[in-house]
Amino acid sequence: MSGAILFIIALFWISTAIGVGYDARKHGGSFVKWFLIVGVTGIFGLMWYSIAHNRSPQPRTDTDRTLLVSSEVVDVETKEKTVVQLSVPTDSTTFAIEQFELKCRKSGYQPTEKPNIEVQ
């Protein structure tokens, strides 16, 4: 009886670590890093990931401008070129470029040139 309970707990623990790893990879993080953290620390690693993942990294200022970031990109699979644009409500050009690059990665694109930034 206690062996079955331990097996269920271990199965849940490993499944959680795998799930967190996949979610981290989906959001641009490291699968291995978060799998190991949650696998070793259990619920504490899950809480750490939840806090780190839900933290709002978007820097805002009193002026709250919107920056339009655009660049020519190439589809990683088809090698087809296109232009991608992203509006980011921030004053930070660095943050706007990071968000643009994250969107490109998630969409399967690779920028071919430095992104252009315009204030909207």
Side-chain angles (χ1 to χ4, degrees), residues 11-106:
L11 188 63
F12 177 75
W13 195 329
I14 291 171
S15 299
T16 302
I18 291 171
V20 168
Y22 276 114
D23 190 66
R25 186 179 68 172
K26 183 173 77 174
H27 291 96
S30 169
F31 173 89
V32 174
K33 172 187 166 185
W34 285 106
F35 173 79
L36 290 174
I37 289 173
V38 174
V40 170
T41 63
I43 190 73
F44 299 108
L46 182 60
M47 289 188 304
W48 182 12
Y49 178 74
S50 178
I51 291 167
H53 177 68
N54 289 325
R55 190 177 301 151
S56 177
Q58 186 164 343
R60 297 179 84 77
T61 63
D62 291 339
T63 58
D64 279 334
R65 295 183 301 180
T66 298
L67 301 179
L68 178 66
V69 186
S70 63
S71 177
E72 184 177 271
V73 296
V74 62
D75 189 307
V76 176
E77 293 178 8
T78 65
K79 305 298 183 209
E80 193 174 302
K81 290 186 178 183
T82 188
V83 174
V84 172
Q85 293 184 334
L86 177 66
S87 292
V88 183
T90 184
D91 280 336
S92 170
T93 57
T94 304
F95 179 75
I97 291 172
E98 287 173 0
Q99 292 301 302
F100 177 79
E101 290 172 349
L102 180 63
K103 177 187 178 189
C104 287
R105 264 197 318 271
K106 285 182 179 180

